[in-house]
Amino acid sequence: MDLPKGLDRVRGAPAGRDWLAVLPSWLAECTERWSLRLGPPFAQAYASLALPAELPDGTEAVLKLQYPDDDSRYEADALALWDGDGAIRLLARDRERRALLVERCRPGTALHELPMDRALDAVTGLLPRLWRPAGAPFTRLAEETAGWIDRMPRTWERAGRPYERRLLDAALDLLTGLASSQGDQVLVNQDLHAGNVLAADREPWLAIDPKPLTGEREFSVVPLVRGPELGHSPAAVRHRLDRLSADLGLDRERVRGWTIGQTLAWSIDGDVVFAHQIEVVRWLLDER
């Protein structure tokens, strides 16, 4: 089996090489367990191996074998909680192999194929349905934020200080204040960008691939504000910030602060620096 190019990145870590080594046997075992007919892997894979599947009764599905990182640990739990309301359905899971069998979206067109304002219209109708009260087993946003605050200075140093110190200081200050002053805690998805919302025949749009936390609603729109899928420019980022905050009744300054903080926290991955994310942080810090 030829693995998607996006999974090449996991070969750089011992855990990634270990996962790739067991992947063929886990794939075979899941295929047998659920009596699946599989197609070739989806090419757009960076944190899991996903393949189109067909169940014995003809039901179309997707088999997903997750890379064992912390961000997606509770993906299946989030899908089970939503139970198909605004998100794809979880059909089955194998905890030991971090394998999920989920509903397949048809036609599967990504939300970013729409013009920006039509995409934002769709999201504002979808997001409130995903804001469910939730506790265990999900990680709390405050706990996740503490990890970012602890790691960001060291990550910045190891990467050769790829951006100005003022950005780091501002992000740390914002995250510290936001984490301790949150509103109501609900299930939020820290990776709900416009490529992770797909057109489906059961509903117009369904969320996929959640990276769930429990936190305040303002945090949940961060990936949509910063994501380049709906346009990458100061005007586009600020427009999404304004529209999502207003249409969903969110505190704009808290959305802005969470966007600056998490975007900078996610701007370095090992040796890779995501320059477009650093640009977003500059645009939002310098908007006044």
Side-chain angles (χ1 to χ4, degrees):
M1 180 182 62
D2 292 327
L3 291 176
K5 290 293 185 184
L7 290 180
D8 285 347
R9 71 178 187 87
V10 307
R11 299 181 192 277
R17 293 191 290 272
D18 291 345
W19 178 66
L20 291 174
V22 299
L23 204 53
S25 60
W26 283 3
L27 179 61
E29 290 159 7
C30 290
T31 302
E32 181 178 1
R33 175 180 179 179
W34 291 315
S35 302
L36 303 175
R37 294 179 59 188
L38 299 178
F42 292 108
Q44 302 84 359
Y46 299 95
S48 64
L49 177 69
L51 308 96
E54 185 178 301
L55 278 66
D57 65 1
T59 299
E60 287 191 318
V62 172
L63 173 62
K64 183 174 183 179
L65 291 162
Q66 297 176 319
Y67 178 72
D69 61 7
D70 289 336
D71 289 338
S72 59
R73 178 181 298 170
Y74 301 116
E75 176 178 341
D77 299 281
L79 294 177
L81 181 62
W82 288 322
D83 193 23
D85 186 6
I88 55 170
R89 284 199 173 100
L90 176 68
L91 305 178
R93 71 186 297 185
D94 183 321
R95 294 179 186 272
E96 179 184 353
R97 297 170 181 82
R98 290 280 293 265
L100 285 65
L101 193 64
V102 298
E103 172 184 11
R104 185 170 180 188
C105 293
R106 291 287 196 180
T109 308
L111 185 67
H112 58 69
E113 295 295 327
L114 295 181
M116 179 163 54
D117 278 310
R118 284 182 57 198
L120 296 179
D121 289 341
V123 166
T124 55
L126 183 68
L127 258 176
R129 299 164 59 192
L130 304 177
W131 289 335
R132 303 286 188 88
F138 303 107
T139 302
R140 294 180 298 111
L141 175 57
E143 179 183 339
E144 189 81 356
T145 303
W148 298 335
I149 292 170
D150 178 62
R151 292 189 298 271
M152 285 169 69
R154 297 195 304 273
T155 302
W156 180 70
E157 290 283 358
R158 282 198 303 268
R161 302 184 179 185
Y163 51 80
E164 310 93 280
R165 177 76 202 204
R166 72 178 182 96
L167 304 188
L168 178 62
D169 290 341
L172 293 174
D173 287 345
L174 285 165
L175 288 172
T176 299
L178 289 165
S180 61
S181 60
Q182 296 180 66
D184 292 340
Q185 300 290 284
V186 297
L187 191 62
V188 295
N189 176 3
Q190 60 176 329
D191 201 29
L192 188 70
H193 56 73
N196 277 345
V197 180
L198 303 183
D201 50 10
R202 182 170 63 82
E203 290 197 23
W205 299 99
L206 294 172
I208 67 167
D209 297 342
K211 291 180 170 55
L213 301 168
T214 54
E216 66 175 358
R217 292 167 175 81
E218 279 76 6
F219 179 78
S220 65
V221 299
V222 166
L224 289 158
V225 172
R226 72 152 174 263
E229 297 86 4
L230 294 176
H232 184 67
S233 70
V237 169
R238 290 167 187 156
H239 179 71
R240 293 194 293 271
L241 172 61
D242 291 338
R243 266 217 57 191
L244 290 168
S245 299
D247 292 357
L248 291 166
L250 304 175
D251 183 316
R252 183 189 186 278
E253 282 306 295
R254 294 188 71 85
V255 174
R256 174 180 170 271
W258 281 121
T259 304
I260 290 168
Q262 196 221 22
T263 299
L264 202 65
W266 280 26
S267 68
I268 302 173
D269 182 10
D271 297 331
V272 180
V273 176
F274 301 107
H276 66 283
Q277 300 209 162
I278 297 169
E279 285 182 320
V280 169
V281 172
R282 289 194 188 100
W283 294 338
L284 290 179
L285 279 175
D286 298 338
E287 71 171 354
R288 290 178 179 80

